[in-house]
CSV table of all heavy atoms in Angstrom, one decimal:
chain,number,residue,atom,x,y,z
A,3,MET,N,9.9,-8.0,7.0
A,3,MET,CA,9.0,-9.2,7.5
A,3,MET,C,7.6,-8.9,7.2
A,3,MET,O,6.9,-9.8,6.9
A,3,MET,CB,9.2,-9.4,9.0
A,3,MET,CG,10.7,-10.0,9.3
A,3,MET,SD,11.0,-11.5,8.4
A,3,MET,CE,10.0,-12.6,9.3
A,4,GLU,N,7.1,-7.6,7.3
A,4,GLU,CA,5.8,-7.3,7.1
A,4,GLU,C,5.4,-7.6,5.6
A,4,GLU,O,4.4,-8.1,5.3
A,4,GLU,CB,5.5,-5.8,7.5
A,4,GLU,CG,4.0,-5.5,7.3
A,4,GLU,CD,3.7,-4.0,7.8
A,4,GLU,OE1,4.7,-3.4,8.4
A,4,GLU,OE2,2.7,-3.4,7.4
A,5,THR,N,6.3,-7.1,4.8
A,5,THR,CA,6.0,-7.3,3.3
A,5,THR,C,6.0,-8.7,3.0
A,5,THR,O,5.1,-9.3,2.2
A,5,THR,CB,7.1,-6.7,2.5
A,5,THR,OG1,7.1,-5.2,2.7
A,5,THR,CG2,6.8,-6.9,1.0
A,6,ARG,N,6.9,-9.6,3.5
A,6,ARG,CA,6.9,-11.1,3.3
A,6,ARG,C,5.7,-11.8,3.8
A,6,ARG,O,5.1,-12.5,3.1
A,6,ARG,CB,8.2,-11.7,3.9
A,6,ARG,CG,8.2,-13.2,3.9
A,6,ARG,CD,9.4,-13.9,4.4
A,6,ARG,NE,9.3,-15.3,4.4
A,6,ARG,CZ,9.5,-16.0,3.3
A,6,ARG,NH1,9.9,-15.6,2.3
A,6,ARG,NH2,9.4,-17.4,3.5
A,7,ALA,N,5.1,-11.3,4.9
A,7,ALA,CA,3.9,-11.8,5.5
A,7,ALA,C,2.8,-11.6,4.5
A,7,ALA,O,1.9,-12.5,4.3
A,7,ALA,CB,3.6,-11.2,6.8
A,8,ILE,N,2.7,-10.4,4.0
A,8,ILE,CA,1.6,-10.0,3.0
A,8,ILE,C,1.7,-10.8,1.7
A,8,ILE,O,0.7,-11.3,1.2
A,8,ILE,CB,1.6,-8.6,2.7
A,8,ILE,CG1,1.3,-7.8,4.0
A,8,ILE,CG2,0.7,-8.2,1.6
A,8,ILE,CD1,1.4,-6.3,3.9
A,9,VAL,N,2.9,-11.0,1.2
A,9,VAL,CA,3.1,-11.8,0.0
A,9,VAL,C,2.7,-13.2,0.3
A,9,VAL,O,2.1,-13.9,-0.6
A,9,VAL,CB,4.8,-11.6,-0.5
A,9,VAL,CG1,4.9,-12.6,-1.6
A,9,VAL,CG2,4.9,-10.3,-1.0
A,10,GLU,N,3.2,-13.7,1.4
A,10,GLU,CA,3.0,-15.2,1.8
A,10,GLU,C,1.4,-15.3,1.8
A,10,GLU,O,0.8,-16.4,1.3
A,10,GLU,CB,3.6,-15.4,3.1
A,10,GLU,CG,3.5,-16.8,3.5
A,10,GLU,CD,4.3,-17.2,4.7
A,10,GLU,OE1,4.9,-16.3,5.3
A,10,GLU,OE2,4.4,-18.5,5.1
A,11,LYS,N,0.8,-14.5,2.5
A,11,LYS,CA,-0.7,-14.7,2.7
A,11,LYS,C,-1.4,-14.4,1.3
A,11,LYS,O,-2.4,-15.3,1.1
A,11,LYS,CB,-1.2,-13.6,3.7
A,11,LYS,CG,-2.6,-13.8,4.1
A,11,LYS,CD,-3.0,-12.8,5.3
A,11,LYS,CE,-4.3,-13.2,5.9
A,11,LYS,NZ,-4.6,-12.3,7.0
A,12,THR,N,-1.0,-13.6,0.5
A,12,THR,CA,-1.7,-13.4,-0.9
A,12,THR,C,-1.5,-14.6,-1.7
A,12,THR,O,-2.3,-15.1,-2.3
A,12,THR,CB,-1.2,-12.1,-1.5
A,12,THR,OG1,-1.3,-11.0,-0.6
A,12,THR,CG2,-1.8,-11.9,-2.8
A,13,ALA,N,-0.2,-15.1,-1.6
A,13,ALA,CA,0.1,-16.4,-2.4
A,13,ALA,C,-0.8,-17.5,-1.9
A,13,ALA,O,-1.2,-18.3,-2.7
A,13,ALA,CB,1.7,-16.6,-2.2
A,14,GLN,N,-0.7,-17.7,-0.6
A,14,GLN,CA,-1.5,-18.8,0.0
A,14,GLN,C,-3.0,-18.8,-0.4
A,14,GLN,O,-3.6,-19.8,-0.8
A,14,GLN,CB,-1.4,-18.7,1.5
A,14,GLN,CG,-2.2,-19.9,2.2
A,14,GLN,CD,-2.1,-19.7,3.7
A,14,GLN,OE1,-1.7,-18.7,4.3
A,14,GLN,NE2,-2.4,-20.8,4.4
A,15,ARG,N,-3.6,-17.5,-0.4
A,15,ARG,CA,-5.0,-17.4,-0.7
A,15,ARG,C,-5.1,-17.6,-2.3
A,15,ARG,O,-6.3,-17.9,-2.7
A,15,ARG,CB,-5.5,-16.1,-0.3
A,15,ARG,CG,-5.6,-16.0,1.2
A,15,ARG,CD,-6.5,-15.0,1.6
A,15,ARG,NE,-6.6,-15.1,3.1
A,15,ARG,CZ,-7.1,-14.3,3.9
A,15,ARG,NH1,-7.7,-13.1,3.4
A,15,ARG,NH2,-7.2,-14.3,5.2
A,16,ALA,N,-4.1,-17.5,-3.0
A,16,ALA,CA,-4.2,-17.6,-4.3
A,16,ALA,C,-4.0,-19.1,-4.9
A,16,ALA,O,-4.0,-19.4,-6.0
A,16,ALA,CB,-3.3,-16.8,-5.2
A,17,GLY,N,-3.8,-20.0,-3.7
A,17,GLY,CA,-3.3,-21.4,-3.9
A,17,GLY,C,-1.9,-21.5,-4.5
A,17,GLY,O,-1.8,-22.5,-5.3
A,18,LYS,N,-1.1,-20.7,-4.2
A,18,LYS,CA,0.3,-20.8,-4.9
A,18,LYS,C,1.2,-20.7,-3.7
A,18,LYS,O,1.0,-20.2,-2.7
A,18,LYS,CB,0.5,-19.5,-5.7
A,18,LYS,CG,-0.5,-19.6,-6.9
A,18,LYS,CD,-0.1,-18.3,-7.9
A,18,LYS,CE,-1.1,-18.2,-9.0
A,18,LYS,NZ,-0.8,-17.1,-9.9
A,19,THR,N,2.5,-21.3,-4.0
A,19,THR,CA,3.6,-21.0,-3.2
A,19,THR,C,4.0,-19.6,-3.3
A,19,THR,O,3.7,-18.9,-4.3
A,19,THR,CB,4.7,-22.0,-3.5
A,19,THR,OG1,5.2,-21.7,-4.8
A,19,THR,CG2,4.3,-23.4,-3.4
A,20,ILE,N,4.9,-19.1,-2.5
A,20,ILE,CA,5.5,-17.7,-2.6
A,20,ILE,C,6.3,-17.7,-3.9
A,20,ILE,O,6.2,-16.7,-4.6
A,20,ILE,CB,6.4,-17.4,-1.4
A,20,ILE,CG1,5.5,-17.2,0.0
A,20,ILE,CG2,7.2,-16.1,-1.6
A,20,ILE,CD1,6.4,-17.0,1.1
A,21,GLY,N,7.1,-18.8,-4.2
A,21,GLY,CA,7.8,-18.8,-5.4
A,21,GLY,C,6.9,-18.7,-6.6
A,21,GLY,O,7.3,-18.0,-7.6
A,22,GLN,N,5.8,-19.4,-6.6
A,22,GLN,CA,4.9,-19.4,-7.9
A,22,GLN,C,4.3,-18.0,-7.9
A,22,GLN,O,4.3,-17.5,-9.1
A,22,GLN,CB,3.8,-20.4,-7.6
A,22,GLN,CG,4.2,-21.8,-7.9
A,22,GLN,CD,3.1,-22.8,-7.4
A,22,GLN,OE1,2.4,-22.6,-6.4
A,22,GLN,NE2,3.0,-23.9,-8.1
A,23,PHE,N,4.0,-17.5,-6.8
A,23,PHE,CA,3.4,-16.1,-6.8
A,23,PHE,C,4.3,-15.1,-7.5
A,23,PHE,O,4.0,-14.3,-8.3
A,23,PHE,CB,2.8,-15.6,-5.4
A,23,PHE,CG,2.3,-14.3,-5.4
A,23,PHE,CD1,1.0,-14.1,-5.8
A,23,PHE,CD2,3.0,-13.2,-4.8
A,23,PHE,CE1,0.5,-12.8,-5.8
A,23,PHE,CE2,2.5,-11.9,-4.8
A,23,PHE,CZ,1.2,-11.6,-5.3
A,24,VAL,N,5.5,-15.1,-6.9
A,24,VAL,CA,6.6,-14.1,-7.4
A,24,VAL,C,6.8,-14.4,-8.9
A,24,VAL,O,7.0,-13.4,-9.7
A,24,VAL,CB,7.9,-14.3,-6.5
A,24,VAL,CG1,9.0,-13.6,-7.2
A,24,VAL,CG2,7.6,-13.7,-5.1
A,25,ASN,N,7.0,-15.6,-9.1
A,25,ASN,CA,7.4,-16.0,-10.6
A,25,ASN,C,6.2,-15.6,-11.6
A,25,ASN,O,6.6,-15.2,-12.7
A,25,ASN,CB,7.7,-17.5,-10.7
A,25,ASN,CG,9.1,-17.9,-10.2
A,25,ASN,OD1,10.0,-17.1,-10.2
A,25,ASN,ND2,9.2,-19.0,-9.8
A,26,GLU,N,5.0,-15.8,-11.2
A,26,GLU,CA,3.9,-15.5,-12.2
A,26,GLU,C,3.5,-14.1,-12.0
A,26,GLU,O,3.5,-13.2,-13.0
A,26,GLU,CB,2.8,-16.6,-11.9
A,26,GLU,CG,3.3,-18.0,-12.1
A,26,GLU,CD,2.3,-19.0,-11.7
A,26,GLU,OE1,1.2,-18.7,-11.3
A,26,GLU,OE2,2.7,-20.2,-11.8
Side-chain angles (χ1 to χ4, degrees):
M3 295 302 291
E4 184 178 346
T5 301
R6 180 178 170 77
I8 290 170
V9 170
E10 185 175 5
K11 190 171 190 176
T12 304
Q14 181 182 17
R15 291 205 176 164
K18 300 177 180 182
T19 65
I20 292 175
Q22 290 170 325
F23 178 76
V24 170
N25 284 333
E26 296 167 10

